[in-house]
Amino acid sequence: MDIVYQGEHVLPGQLGNFFIVLSFLASGLAAYSYFKASKGDLGWNKLGRIAFRTHSIAVLGIIGTLLYMLINHLFEYEYVWKHSSHIMPLRYVFSAFWEGQEGSLILWSFWHMVLANVLIWKGGKWEAPVVSVVALVQFFLGSMLLGVFIYNYQIGINPFILARESVENFGLPWTNNPDYLSFPQFMDGRGMNPLLQNYWMTIHPPTLFLGFASTLIPFAFAIAGLWKKDLQGWIKPALPWAFFGVMILGLGILMGGAWAYEALSFGGFWAWDPVENSSLVPWLVLLGGAHLMLINRNKTSSLFSALLLIILSFILVLYSTFLTRSGVLGETSVHSFVDSGILPQLLVFLLFFVVLAAGLFLQKKMRFKFWIAQAALFVLGVILAVWSDSTSAVKIPIILSVLIAGASLIYAYRTHFPKSDKEEHLWSREFWIFVGSLVLFLSSLQIIIWTSLPVTNLFLEPFSGLFTALHELSGIDFFRSLADHNFAPPIERVMEYNRWQIPFAVLTTLLVAVGQFFRYKQTEMKTFFKKISFSFIVAALLTLTIIFLTPFSKESVAVNFLLFTTIFAVIANTDYLVRITKGKMDTAGSSIAHIGFALLLLGALISTSQSDKISRNSSIYDVKSLSEDLNNEEDIVMFKGDTLQMGSYFAVFSDRFREGINMHFKIDYLENNPNSYEVGDVIFQKDMVFQCTEPHQASANFIDDMDKFWQFVPFPNERQSQVIEKWNSGKPGKLAFSLEPLVQLNERMGNTPEPDTRHYIHKDIYTHIKWGRTEEAPVDADGFLEPFSKELAKGDTLIGYKAKIIVDSILPIPDLNRYGLVDGDIGARIVLRLEETERDTSVNVIFGLRESDILEIPVTIESYGLQFMIESIDPTTGKIKISTSEHGENQRDFIVMQAISFPFINVLWIGCIIMVLGSLLAVRHRIRVNKIELKKVS
Amino acid sequence: MKKSHIIGIIIIAVCMGFILSSLFEASTYADFKEAFDHAGKEYHVVGSLDKDFDIVYNPETDHALTVFHMIDEKGESKKVKLFKAKPQDFEKSETIVLIGSAVGDEFHAEDILMKCPSKYEEGQSMEALVK
């Protein structure tokens, strides 16, 4: 009997599935049609357009349907339930859309579709081959949204499945209940992760995915060029697309950094996290490739490298997708996701295009032999995957496949690529841009190899036996580590990556500085050096000034070089912009982008190397406290109301309040004013007492003042002991600003701290909470906390929040009536002494026994916020069991927080904006140049 | 030798250098047994919170010390001293990765990576490294 479920809206899901299938099939048809059209048949071109336009409408249909479901809260659908809820504000509906795996795939596919439509609109001889490649990619992406089953194997994940149909819920009893939609769990969706409910989640993913999508277009052009044997002709039409990709992908990556800096509590904007790295690497490779395209557009010198890098940039985007979505990263990344079962699909997607591209480098006969060999390996892999129990065996064909592809690339380079008889002149723009792209390539190689450690582990596994044998033969420990294939990222990850990347950055920025001064083909060396000398000298002087006047002198040689080269790059490109381009907007793009790039690196360099954890070495400014002043931890404990000297401020934890789902912690930053001492002032420093001999203003360190102004007092007298204070170099002034870092509370998602930052022009003060009280301790009607019992004997001590409680004595009660007892009761009087810094008090607590019932006689001491009650007395041991309860207000609220100052971090953000603007101008310039050339030809 | 050949050789040499450096500089994932067999050597140890024991964090006495017990992937439970403030929502963590070394009968962790349930969507969740 078919169950009829109440309240389900089945139509949207069916419509959505229709669109998915339509989109999938139409993209396949478009790919095929355009493939035929590339052979010269224009009829197929028309069909290709119709097919792709149909595909485009279907993609829009998918998006519309999913949006409809989200807006109308159709929680019967798995995706809607997982990623949205009633209370979610409507402006986050887009964020919810792409929060999940399926949604972000749709977003990616959408951008491909948009870009391809631009290509179709432009038309021309490249339309057919290029769009056929894009359509093929869409076909693969479409397959990842199908969610169909072949035997037990799931192809793709469908965004439109009903919750009761999902694999996770399979077989659960409620899936057979026709009224399941009235169950409380379906009254509302699970909701978006509150950490993602901000404007960043609305702008960062679409920008980033547009960036990823834009690497496909130059790739498709390169493939088309290889396919149609026009190894150079593809470059000019593809140039604007390549730099468009540089601009958008760069912007997307930087947005991610800005988001991390603003909303996450790791205290920075880049952590060399695998997911960050895997999006940076395609960008670096694209950047290199785009520059190689520039120098090969008229005269070829490094065509192979240009093709290779451009093709690699898209392959790396596929690889990045593989890394982040397959779950292979495991524990190495905080971004790593639960394996959703699409690892094999992603792998096939990746390998298909690697093999396709590698094959195209070869010539006809070799090409087909290569593809057939690869197909055979694929079939072998599938057989091994299906028939074998372990995943070991299938890795071998994969490794072989990649090795053969690599080998064929080398073979192709040696046999088929035109080599000019004259090698490039050493002092030519071609040569040095080539070197620059090489450096970018090496830099990205380092990043991706280190990031791929889990993948290395995975592929070392089948050779475990071999390595164990080698280890036994040779005794070399390294073989054993290889056999274990359990490598983890280095302990000091950021430091280790920087160690490699800073030298690469030095080389890159040096070339950015001087690159444009080289002429094509050949440069007059004298003129060259004359042109750069001005910038070089100014930069050198500036750098030296900075090194001598700031803590930069303590940094490593590499860091100081980077300081120089980035400044040099900024000045040299400004010089070029002014003197040579004479500020013409048309050709200014590259110089401006270079300035932005250099400023970006400069800002990152200064703010990171000179960042100061000002919460370290903070000292308590509490005049009453005689405790140790120096604290060398990164974080600092701040009790409510305490004033702490922190960096160039005094900080006070002043308030804690809850707003919605956030617990706010208010921290006031007061100005640090110079402290002055008069003759006769008595202070203590490091447990020693000193008296001031001369009026003076305190220096930063006591040591500097000690001999000049202070006299050691070995035995302070009564008067001195009364006025003694802790030495301080400054005293708190008026309020400079307040910050409110918070902890976002969510039962389901978990507590997440969010920093708050004060932005000045020349620095940022960044504060975040490491630990703060997020729940109120439960109190009774009078405000007392839960009582706790303890067994004490005479003389024992209890430590309360405000006072020490000592059991002074246990006395009998001669006059029962005096303490509210009647004849026949047994009683005892327990005297407790309460010790506090200022005074002591005694309190009587009565124990009464009436006909073997223990009387409950609580005693409250309001001034101390304490409540006592005797629960029992053991006459043999003389121990009493006493229940103590403290008033909620006794608890001193405190937080553990970290504050960091980031000097000149605004240089980084300004650099980002300038770089994007410069790239935009460059794209505009390339489009114009193409238009002009097209006019000339026609 | 042709310039292009030189460049090719350099690239291959540097590539090998990167691969080897990634393996040499790498730490290793290990279980408690291996970490305790090589006391003092730094490892990444994967495991989960042992709910049979309390999580002790007293910021008034030491704000950078959290003491708890962890069960590694082989099922062995050891006392762990983490020299950091107690991470937010530590109790809810599913998987933990400790970075540190074994000292005596305890594991001293300098750093910790946590994975919490349902925080990690299959999509774009961003979460901070607990540093």
Side-chain angles (χ1 to χ4, degrees), chain A residues 19 22-35 37 43-62 108-122 127-142 213 216-217 220 241:
Chain A
F19 282 129
L22 181 62
S23 154
F24 175 66
L25 293 174
S27 65
L29 180 61
Y32 182 72
S33 309
Y34 272 118
F35 171 76
W44 283 102
N45 206 10
K46 221 171 157 196
L47 181 60
R49 284 187 174 186
I50 293 173
F52 200 87
R53 291 202 172 116
T54 312
H55 162 76
S56 308
I57 295 174
V59 169
L60 290 173
I62 296 173
W108 190 11
S109 183
F110 169 74
W111 284 127
H112 283 162
M113 180 270 283
V114 168
L115 295 177
N117 274 296
V118 175
L119 281 166
I120 293 176
W121 168 67
K122 281 194 141 168
E127 177 191 337
V130 173
V131 182
S132 79
V133 174
V134 177
L136 185 60
V137 171
Q138 289 294 77
F139 186 72
F140 272 89
L141 274 179
L216 174 57
I217 310 297
W241 292 102

Coordinates of all heavy atoms in Angstrom, one line a residue, chain A residues 19 22-35 37 43-62 108-122 127-142 213 216-217 220 241:
Chain A
F19 N 14.3 19.8 -13.9 CA 15.3 20.7 -14.3 C 16.7 20.2 -14.2 O 17.6 20.4 -15.1 CB 15.3 22.0 -13.5 CG 14.2 23.0 -13.8 CD1 13.3 23.4 -12.9 CD2 14.0 23.3 -15.2 CE1 12.2 24.3 -13.2 CE2 12.9 24.2 -15.5 CZ 12.1 24.7 -14.6
L22 N 17.1 17.8 -17.1 CA 17.2 18.6 -18.4 C 18.5 19.3 -18.5 O 19.1 19.3 -19.6 CB 16.0 19.7 -18.3 CG 16.0 20.6 -19.6 CD1 15.7 19.7 -20.8 CD2 14.9 21.6 -19.4
S23 N 19.0 19.9 -17.4 CA 20.3 20.6 -17.4 C 21.4 19.6 -17.8 O 22.2 19.9 -18.6 CB 20.5 21.2 -16.1 OG 21.9 21.4 -15.8
F24 N 21.3 18.5 -17.2 CA 22.4 17.4 -17.4 C 22.4 17.0 -18.9 O 23.4 17.0 -19.6 CB 22.1 16.3 -16.5 CG 23.0 15.1 -16.7 CD1 24.3 15.2 -16.4 CD2 22.5 13.9 -17.2 CE1 25.2 14.1 -16.6 CE2 23.3 12.8 -17.3 CZ 24.7 12.9 -17.1
L25 N 21.2 16.6 -19.4 CA 21.1 16.1 -20.8 C 21.4 17.2 -21.8 O 22.2 17.0 -22.8 CB 19.7 15.5 -21.1 CG 19.4 14.3 -20.3 CD1 18.0 13.8 -20.5 CD2 20.4 13.1 -20.7
A26 N 20.9 18.4 -21.5 CA 21.1 19.5 -22.5 C 22.6 19.9 -22.6 O 23.1 20.2 -23.6 CB 20.3 20.7 -22.1
S27 N 23.3 19.8 -21.4 CA 24.7 20.1 -21.5 C 25.5 19.1 -22.3 O 26.4 19.4 -23.0 CB 25.3 20.3 -20.1 OG 25.3 19.0 -19.4
G28 N 25.1 17.8 -22.1 CA 25.7 16.8 -22.9 C 25.5 17.0 -24.4 O 26.4 16.9 -25.2
L29 N 24.2 17.3 -24.7 CA 23.9 17.6 -26.1 C 24.7 18.7 -26.7 O 25.2 18.7 -27.8 CB 22.4 17.8 -26.3 CG 21.9 18.1 -27.7 CD1 22.2 16.9 -28.6 CD2 20.4 18.4 -27.8
A30 N 24.8 19.8 -25.9 CA 25.5 21.0 -26.3 C 27.0 20.6 -26.5 O 27.6 21.1 -27.5 CB 25.4 22.1 -25.2
A31 N 27.6 19.8 -25.6 CA 29.0 19.5 -25.8 C 29.2 18.7 -27.1 O 30.1 19.0 -27.8 CB 29.4 18.6 -24.6
Y32 N 28.3 17.8 -27.3 CA 28.4 17.0 -28.6 C 28.2 17.8 -29.8 O 29.0 17.8 -30.8 CB 27.4 15.8 -28.5 CG 27.5 14.9 -29.7 CD1 28.6 14.1 -29.9 CD2 26.5 15.0 -30.7 CE1 28.7 13.3 -31.0 CE2 26.6 14.2 -31.9 CZ 27.7 13.3 -32.0 OH 27.8 12.5 -33.1
S33 N 27.2 18.7 -29.8 CA 26.9 19.5 -30.9 C 28.0 20.5 -31.3 O 28.4 20.6 -32.4 CB 25.6 20.4 -30.7 OG 24.6 19.6 -30.3
Y34 N 28.5 21.1 -30.2 CA 29.6 22.0 -30.5 C 30.9 21.3 -30.9 O 31.7 21.8 -31.7 CB 29.9 22.9 -29.2 CG 29.1 24.1 -29.1 CD1 28.2 24.4 -28.1 CD2 29.2 25.1 -30.1 CE1 27.5 25.5 -28.0 CE2 28.5 26.3 -30.0 CZ 27.6 26.5 -29.0 OH 26.9 27.7 -28.9
F35 N 31.0 20.1 -30.4 CA 32.2 19.2 -30.8 C 32.1 19.0 -32.4 O 33.1 19.2 -33.1 CB 32.1 17.9 -30.1 CG 33.1 16.9 -30.6 CD1 34.5 17.0 -30.3 CD2 32.7 15.8 -31.3 CE1 35.4 16.0 -30.7 CE2 33.6 14.9 -31.8 CZ 34.9 15.0 -31.5
A37 N 30.4 20.8 -34.4 CA 30.5 22.1 -35.1 C 31.9 22.6 -35.2 O 32.3 23.2 -36.2 CB 29.7 23.2 -34.2
G43 N 25.7 23.8 -39.1 CA 24.4 23.4 -38.6 C 24.5 23.0 -37.2 O 23.6 23.3 -36.4
W44 N 25.5 22.2 -36.9 CA 25.7 21.8 -35.5 C 25.9 23.0 -34.5 O 25.5 22.9 -33.4 CB 26.9 20.9 -35.4 CG 26.6 19.5 -35.9 CD1 27.0 19.0 -37.1 CD2 25.9 18.5 -35.2 NE1 26.6 17.7 -37.2 CE2 25.9 17.3 -36.1 CE3 25.2 18.4 -34.0 CZ2 25.2 16.1 -35.7 CZ3 24.6 17.2 -33.6 CH2 24.6 16.1 -34.5
N45 N 26.4 24.0 -35.0 CA 26.6 25.2 -34.2 C 25.3 25.7 -33.7 O 25.1 26.1 -32.5 CB 27.4 26.3 -35.0 CG 28.1 27.3 -34.1 OD1 28.3 27.0 -32.9 ND2 28.6 28.3 -34.6
K46 N 24.3 25.8 -34.6 CA 23.0 26.2 -34.2 C 22.4 25.3 -33.1 O 21.9 25.8 -32.2 CB 22.1 26.2 -35.5 CG 21.2 27.4 -35.6 CD 20.5 27.5 -36.9 CE 19.3 28.3 -36.8 NZ 18.4 28.1 -38.0
L47 N 22.5 24.0 -33.4 CA 22.0 23.1 -32.4 C 22.7 23.3 -31.1 O 22.1 23.2 -30.0 CB 22.1 21.7 -32.9 CG 21.6 20.6 -32.0 CD1 20.1 20.8 -31.8 CD2 21.8 19.2 -32.6
G48 N 24.0 23.5 -31.1 CA 24.8 23.7 -29.9 C 24.2 24.8 -29.1 O 24.1 24.8 -27.9
R49 N 23.9 25.9 -29.8 CA 23.4 27.1 -29.1 C 22.1 26.8 -28.5 O 21.8 27.2 -27.3 CB 23.2 28.3 -30.1 CG 24.6 28.9 -30.4 CD 24.4 30.1 -31.3 NE 25.6 30.8 -31.5 CZ 25.8 32.0 -32.1 NH1 24.7 32.6 -32.5 NH2 27.0 32.5 -32.2
I50 N 21.2 26.1 -29.2 CA 19.9 25.8 -28.7 C 20.0 25.0 -27.4 O 19.4 25.2 -26.4 CB 19.0 25.1 -29.7 CG1 18.7 26.1 -30.9 CG2 17.7 24.6 -29.1 CD1 18.0 25.4 -32.1
A51 N 20.9 24.0 -27.6 CA 21.1 23.0 -26.5 C 21.6 23.8 -25.2 O 21.2 23.6 -24.1 CB 22.1 21.9 -26.9
F52 N 22.6 24.6 -25.5 CA 23.2 25.3 -24.3 C 22.3 26.3 -23.7 O 22.2 26.5 -22.5 CB 24.5 26.0 -24.7 CG 25.4 26.3 -23.5 CD1 26.2 25.3 -23.0 CD2 25.3 27.5 -22.8 CE1 27.0 25.6 -21.8 CE2 26.0 27.8 -21.7 CZ 26.9 26.8 -21.2
R53 N 21.5 27.0 -24.5 CA 20.5 27.9 -24.0 C 19.4 27.1 -23.2 O 19.0 27.6 -22.1 CB 19.8 28.7 -25.1 CG 20.8 29.6 -25.8 CD 20.1 30.8 -26.5 NE 21.1 31.7 -26.9 CZ 21.4 32.0 -28.1 NH1 20.8 31.5 -29.1 NH2 22.4 32.9 -28.4
T54 N 19.0 26.0 -23.7 CA 18.1 25.1 -22.9 C 18.8 24.8 -21.5 O 18.1 24.9 -20.5 CB 17.8 23.8 -23.6 OG1 17.4 24.1 -25.0 CG2 16.7 23.1 -23.0
H55 N 20.0 24.4 -21.6 CA 20.7 24.0 -20.4 C 20.7 25.2 -19.4 O 20.5 25.1 -18.2 CB 22.2 23.6 -20.7 CG 23.2 23.7 -19.6 ND1 23.2 22.7 -18.6 CD2 24.1 24.6 -19.3 CE1 24.1 23.0 -17.7 NE2 24.7 24.1 -18.1
S56 N 21.0 26.4 -20.0 CA 21.0 27.6 -19.1 C 19.7 27.9 -18.4 O 19.6 28.2 -17.3 CB 21.3 28.9 -20.0 OG 22.5 28.6 -20.8
I57 N 18.6 27.7 -19.2 CA 17.3 27.9 -18.6 C 17.0 26.9 -17.5 O 16.5 27.2 -16.4 CB 16.2 27.8 -19.7 CG1 16.3 29.0 -20.6 CG2 14.8 27.9 -19.0 CD1 15.4 29.0 -21.8
A58 N 17.5 25.6 -17.8 CA 17.3 24.6 -16.8 C 18.1 24.9 -15.5 O 17.6 24.7 -14.4 CB 17.8 23.2 -17.3
V59 N 19.3 25.5 -15.6 CA 20.1 25.8 -14.4 C 19.3 26.9 -13.6 O 19.2 26.8 -12.4 CB 21.5 26.3 -14.8 CG1 22.2 26.9 -13.6 CG2 22.3 25.2 -15.4
L60 N 18.8 27.9 -14.4 CA 18.0 28.9 -13.7 C 16.8 28.3 -13.0 O 16.4 28.7 -11.9 CB 17.6 30.0 -14.7 CG 18.7 30.9 -15.2 CD1 18.2 31.8 -16.3 CD2 19.3 31.7 -14.1
G61 N 16.2 27.3 -13.7 CA 15.1 26.6 -13.1 C 15.5 25.9 -11.8 O 14.7 25.9 -10.8
I62 N 16.6 25.3 -11.8 CA 17.1 24.6 -10.5 C 17.2 25.6 -9.4 O 16.7 25.4 -8.3 CB 18.5 23.9 -10.8 CG1 18.4 22.8 -11.8 CG2 19.0 23.4 -9.4 CD1 19.7 22.2 -12.2
W108 N 28.5 27.1 -8.6 CA 29.6 27.0 -9.5 C 29.1 26.7 -10.9 O 29.6 27.4 -11.9 CB 30.4 25.8 -9.0 CG 31.8 25.6 -9.6 CD1 32.4 26.5 -10.4 CD2 32.6 24.5 -9.5 NE1 33.6 26.0 -10.8 CE2 33.8 24.7 -10.3 CE3 32.5 23.3 -8.8 CZ2 34.8 23.8 -10.4 CZ3 33.6 22.4 -8.9 CH2 34.7 22.7 -9.7
S109 N 28.2 25.8 -11.1 CA 27.6 25.5 -12.4 C 27.0 26.8 -13.0 O 27.1 27.0 -14.2 CB 26.6 24.4 -12.2 OG 26.1 24.0 -13.4
F110 N 26.3 27.5 -12.1 CA 25.6 28.8 -12.6 C 26.6 29.7 -13.2 O 26.4 30.3 -14.3 CB 24.9 29.4 -11.4 CG 24.5 30.8 -11.7 CD1 23.3 31.1 -12.4 CD2 25.2 31.9 -11.1 CE1 22.9 32.4 -12.7 CE2 24.7 33.2 -11.4 CZ 23.6 33.4 -12.1
W111 N 27.8 29.9 -12.6 CA 28.7 30.9 -13.1 C 29.3 30.4 -14.4 O 29.5 31.2 -15.4 CB 29.9 31.1 -12.1 CG 29.5 32.0 -11.0 CD1 29.7 31.7 -9.6 CD2 29.0 33.3 -11.0 NE1 29.3 32.8 -8.9 CE2 28.8 33.8 -9.7 CE3 28.6 34.2 -12.1 CZ2 28.3 35.1 -9.4 CZ3 28.1 35.4 -11.8 CH2 28.0 35.9 -10.5
H112 N 29.6 29.1 -14.5 CA 30.1 28.5 -15.8 C 29.1 28.9 -16.9 O 29.4 29.3 -18.0 CB 30.2 27.0 -15.8 CG 31.4 26.5 -15.1 ND1 31.5 25.3 -14.6 CD2 32.6 27.2 -14.8 CE1 32.7 25.1 -14.0 NE2 33.4 26.2 -14.1
M113 N 27.8 28.7 -16.6 CA 26.7 28.9 -17.5 C 26.7 30.4 -18.0 O 26.6 30.7 -19.2 CB 25.4 28.5 -16.9 CG 24.2 28.7 -17.8 SD 23.4 30.3 -17.6 CE 22.6 30.2 -16.1
V114 N 26.8 31.3 -17.0 CA 26.8 32.7 -17.3 C 28.0 33.1 -18.3 O 27.8 33.8 -19.3 CB 26.9 33.6 -16.0 CG1 27.2 35.0 -16.4 CG2 25.6 33.4 -15.3
L115 N 29.2 32.6 -17.9 CA 30.4 33.0 -18.7 C 30.3 32.4 -20.1 O 30.6 33.1 -21.1 CB 31.7 32.4 -18.0 CG 32.0 33.1 -16.6 CD1 33.2 32.4 -16.0 CD2 32.2 34.6 -16.7
A116 N 29.8 31.2 -20.2 CA 29.7 30.6 -21.5 C 28.7 31.3 -22.4 O 28.9 31.5 -23.6 CB 29.2 29.1 -21.4
N117 N 27.6 31.8 -21.8 CA 26.7 32.6 -22.5 C 27.3 33.9 -23.1 O 27.0 34.3 -24.2 CB 25.4 32.9 -21.7 CG 24.4 31.8 -21.8 OD1 23.9 31.5 -22.8 ND2 24.2 31.2 -20.6
V118 N 28.2 34.5 -22.3 CA 28.9 35.6 -22.9 C 29.7 35.2 -24.1 O 29.8 36.0 -25.1 CB 29.9 36.2 -21.8 CG1 30.7 37.4 -22.3 CG2 29.1 36.7 -20.6
L119 N 30.4 34.1 -24.0 CA 31.2 33.6 -25.2 C 30.3 33.4 -26.4 O 30.7 33.7 -27.5 CB 31.8 32.2 -24.8 CG 33.1 32.3 -23.9 CD1 33.4 30.9 -23.4 CD2 34.3 32.8 -24.7
I120 N 29.1 32.8 -26.1 CA 28.2 32.5 -27.2 C 27.7 33.8 -27.9 O 27.7 34.0 -29.1 CB 27.0 31.7 -26.8 CG1 27.4 30.3 -26.3 CG2 25.9 31.6 -27.9 CD1 26.3 29.5 -25.8
W121 N 27.5 34.8 -27.0 CA 27.1 36.1 -27.5 C 28.1 36.8 -28.4 O 27.9 37.4 -29.4 CB 26.7 37.0 -26.3 CG 26.5 38.4 -26.6 CD1 25.5 39.0 -27.3 CD2 27.4 39.5 -26.1 NE1 25.7 40.4 -27.4 CE2 26.8 40.7 -26.6 CE3 28.5 39.6 -25.4 CZ2 27.4 42.0 -26.4 CZ3 29.1 40.8 -25.1 CH2 28.5 42.0 -25.6
K122 N 29.4 36.6 -28.0 CA 30.5 37.1 -28.7 C 30.7 36.4 -30.1 O 31.1 37.0 -31.1 CB 31.8 37.0 -27.9 CG 31.9 38.1 -26.9 CD 33.3 38.2 -26.4 CE 33.7 39.6 -26.2 NZ 35.0 39.7 -25.4
E127 N 34.0 30.0 -30.7 CA 32.8 29.7 -29.9 C 32.6 28.2 -29.8 O 32.5 27.6 -28.7 CB 31.6 30.3 -30.5 CG 30.3 29.9 -29.8 CD 29.0 30.3 -30.6 OE1 29.1 31.2 -31.4 OE2 28.0 29.7 -30.3
A128 N 32.7 27.5 -30.9 CA 32.3 26.1 -30.9 C 33.3 25.2 -30.0 O 32.9 24.6 -29.1 CB 32.3 25.5 -32.3
P129 N 34.6 25.3 -30.3 CA 35.5 24.4 -29.5 C 35.5 24.8 -28.0 O 35.4 24.0 -27.1 CB 36.9 24.6 -30.1 CG 36.8 25.9 -30.9 CD 35.4 26.1 -31.3
V130 N 35.5 26.1 -27.7 CA 35.5 26.6 -26.3 C 34.3 26.2 -25.6 O 34.3 25.6 -24.5 CB 35.8 28.1 -26.2 CG1 35.7 28.6 -24.8 CG2 37.2 28.5 -26.8
V131 N 33.1 26.5 -26.1 CA 31.9 26.2 -25.4 C 31.7 24.7 -25.3 O 31.1 24.2 -24.3 CB 30.7 26.9 -26.1 CG1 29.4 26.6 -25.3 CG2 30.9 28.4 -26.1
S132 N 32.2 23.9 -26.3 CA 32.0 22.5 -26.1 C 32.8 22.0 -24.9 O 32.3 21.1 -24.2 CB 32.5 21.7 -27.4 OG 33.9 21.6 -27.4
V133 N 33.9 22.6 -24.6 CA 34.6 22.2 -23.4 C 33.9 22.6 -22.2 O 33.7 21.8 -21.2 CB 36.1 22.8 -23.4 CG1 36.7 22.5 -22.1 CG2 36.9 22.3 -24.5
V134 N 33.3 23.8 -22.2 CA 32.6 24.3 -21.0 C 31.3 23.4 -20.8 O 31.0 23.0 -19.7 CB 32.1 25.7 -21.2 CG1 31.3 26.2 -20.0 CG2 33.3 26.6 -21.3
A135 N 30.7 23.0 -21.9 CA 29.5 22.2 -21.8 C 29.8 20.8 -21.2 O 29.1 20.2 -20.4 CB 28.8 22.1 -23.1
L136 N 31.0 20.3 -21.6 CA 31.4 19.0 -21.1 C 31.7 19.1 -19.6 O 31.3 18.2 -18.9 CB 32.7 18.6 -21.8 CG 33.3 17.2 -21.5 CD1 32.3 16.1 -21.9 CD2 34.6 17.0 -22.2
V137 N 32.3 20.2 -19.1 CA 32.5 20.4 -17.7 C 31.1 20.4 -17.0 O 30.9 19.8 -15.9 CB 33.3 21.6 -17.4 CG1 33.3 21.9 -15.9 CG2 34.7 21.5 -17.9
Q138 N 30.2 21.1 -17.6 CA 28.8 21.2 -17.0 C 28.2 19.9 -17.0 O 27.4 19.6 -16.0 CB 27.9 22.2 -17.9 CG 28.3 23.6 -17.8 CD 28.1 24.2 -16.4 OE1 28.9 24.0 -15.5 NE2 27.0 24.9 -16.3
F139 N 28.4 19.0 -18.0 CA 27.9 17.7 -18.0 C 28.4 16.9 -16.7 O 27.6 16.3 -16.0 CB 28.3 17.0 -19.3 CG 27.7 15.6 -19.5 CD1 26.4 15.5 -19.8 CD2 28.5 14.5 -19.3 CE1 25.8 14.2 -20.0 CE2 28.0 13.2 -19.5 CZ 26.6 13.1 -19.8
F140 N 29.7 17.0 -16.5 CA 30.3 16.4 -15.3 C 29.7 17.0 -14.0 O 29.3 16.2 -13.1 CB 31.8 16.5 -15.3 CG 32.5 15.5 -16.0 CD1 32.8 15.6 -17.3 CD2 32.9 14.3 -15.3 CE1 33.5 14.6 -18.0 CE2 33.6 13.3 -16.0 CZ 33.9 13.4 -17.3
L141 N 29.6 18.3 -13.9 CA 29.0 18.9 -12.7 C 27.6 18.5 -12.5 O 27.1 18.2 -11.4 CB 29.1 20.4 -12.8 CG 30.4 21.1 -12.3 CD1 30.3 22.6 -12.5 CD2 30.7 20.7 -10.9
G142 N 26.9 18.4 -13.7 CA 25.5 18.1 -13.6 C 25.3 16.7 -13.0 O 24.4 16.4 -12.3
A213 N 35.2 29.5 -11.5 CA 34.6 29.3 -12.8 C 35.4 30.0 -13.9 O 35.5 29.5 -15.0 CB 33.1 29.8 -12.8
L216 N 38.0 28.3 -16.0 CA 37.6 27.3 -17.0 C 37.8 27.9 -18.4 O 38.1 27.2 -19.3 CB 36.2 26.9 -16.7 CG 35.5 26.0 -17.8 CD1 36.4 24.7 -18.0 CD2 34.1 25.6 -17.4
I217 N 37.5 29.3 -18.5 CA 37.5 29.8 -19.8 C 38.9 29.8 -20.5 O 39.0 29.3 -21.6 CB 36.9 31.2 -19.8 CG1 35.5 31.2 -19.1 CG2 36.7 31.8 -21.2 CD1 34.5 30.4 -19.7
A220 N 39.6 26.4 -21.4 CA 38.9 25.9 -22.6 C 39.5 26.4 -23.9 O 39.6 25.7 -24.9 CB 37.4 26.3 -22.5
W241 N 39.9 37.1 -20.5 CA 39.4 36.2 -19.6 C 40.4 35.8 -18.5 O 40.0 35.6 -17.4 CB 38.9 34.9 -20.4 CG 37.8 35.1 -21.3 CD1 37.8 35.3 -22.6 CD2 36.4 35.2 -20.9 NE1 36.5 35.5 -23.1 CE2 35.6 35.5 -22.1 CE3 35.7 35.2 -19.7 CZ2 34.3 35.6 -22.1 CZ3 34.3 35.3 -19.7 CH2 33.6 35.5 -20.9

